[in-house]
Amino acid sequence: MTFRISALPSEPFLPLFALDDTALHAAGGRRVVADTKTGFPCRVSLADAEVGESLILVHWEHQPAPTPFRASHAVYVREGALPAWPAAGEVPASLSTRTLSLRGFDTDDMMIVAELCEGVDAERAIPAMLADERVAYVHVHYARQGCYAARVDRA
């Protein structure tokens, strides 16, 4: 089963970079600078920020459907990030190098299956989850922090 991983769009985050720190805090965000090569995975570029890069850490509602699984969490967005467009079947390094939580949702936005996997196994685990015809889409989370990472659909 072929799949495609989708990054978040950049547009909702662009105005945040123009805010001063006081206004950004009032909007629930924080400006941070990456101080390690890992630990700052951008949800727009689906790449880890380089040391010294500026990012915004902000709340994002990744599951807005009015169900018991409505959810949100903090996400990092790199300043100037361009949206990633991974090829069908491609798992970006920011996902393949971490432990992941895969959460399969049906067409009513109800979670019906979930699995933990190492990122190196995502190319196997994602198609296996999508092989279940009840699964309409998959959300990928970084398992350690529980943060939303990306969405997966059938390609």
Side-chain angles (χ1 to χ4, degrees), residues 1 105-107 112 128-137 154:
M1 167 100 23
F105 292 85
D106 66 13
T107 56
I112 58 170
M129 187 170 281
L130 289 171
D132 181 337
E133 293 195 13
R134 299 172 303 153
V135 175
Y137 61 94
R154 290 176 182 86

Side-chain angles (χ1 to χ4, degrees), residues 90-155:
E90 178 185 355
V91 178
S94 65
L95 300 176
S96 66
T97 57
R98 293 174 165 88
T99 303
L100 304 174
S101 170
L102 305 178
R103 303 169 187 184
F105 292 85
D106 66 13
T107 56
D108 293 323
D109 301 302
M110 295 293 290
M111 187 187 321
I112 58 170
V113 63
E115 178 181 336
L116 288 175
C117 77
E118 292 305 319
V120 296
D121 297 324
E123 287 181 15
R124 173 206 53 80
I126 291 170
M129 187 170 281
L130 289 171
D132 181 337
E133 293 195 13
R134 299 172 303 153
V135 175
Y137 61 94
V138 175
H139 277 185
V140 180
H141 291 249
Y142 297 118
R144 185 164 289 143
Q145 289 83 6
C147 306
Y148 174 81
R151 179 180 164 130
V152 184
D153 293 281
R154 290 176 182 86

